[in-house]
Amino acid sequence: MIAPNAQERLTQIVEPLLFWYQKNKRSLPWRDQPTPYRVWVSEIMLQQTQVARVGRFWERFLSAFPTVDALAAAAVPDVLELWQG
């Protein structure tokens, strides 16, 4: 259980942070329809490059492999070809 003063402090931090996010968030394709698969692919790509570069690669990758089943069934060379860059 969180102590009452800690809960109050948490509220003081969280509310402004959520307000800031709503005001400043970027429009990103994986946020439009956030499924676990779409977000997972974006997170892996974002670990490797900048957000500005991920968008076009993410869209191309998801067009080729729209589901985790499609990705699992794909040949490794096909996946690597779309992943590179």
Side-chain angles (χ1 to χ4, degrees), residues 2-61:
I2 298 176
N5 59 345
Q7 183 65 43
E8 182 179 324
R9 183 68 183 133
L10 185 60
T11 300
Q12 291 173 349
I13 294 168
V14 170
E15 288 179 2
L17 183 59
L18 290 174
F19 175 78
W20 177 89
Y21 174 77
Q22 287 301 319
K23 183 179 173 190
N24 296 289
K25 68 182 175 182
R26 294 187 233 184
S27 177
L28 300 169
W30 46 89
R31 288 184 180 160
D32 294 340
Q33 298 173 356
T35 66
Y37 175 68
R38 293 164 61 92
V39 173
W40 175 64
V41 171
S42 75
E43 289 293 330
I44 294 169
M45 289 183 171
L46 288 165
Q47 290 175 17
Q48 298 178 5
T49 191
Q50 301 167 342
V51 174
R53 299 191 68 191
V54 169
R56 67 178 185 266
F57 290 106
W58 181 86
E59 302 240 354
R60 186 179 68 175
F61 193 85

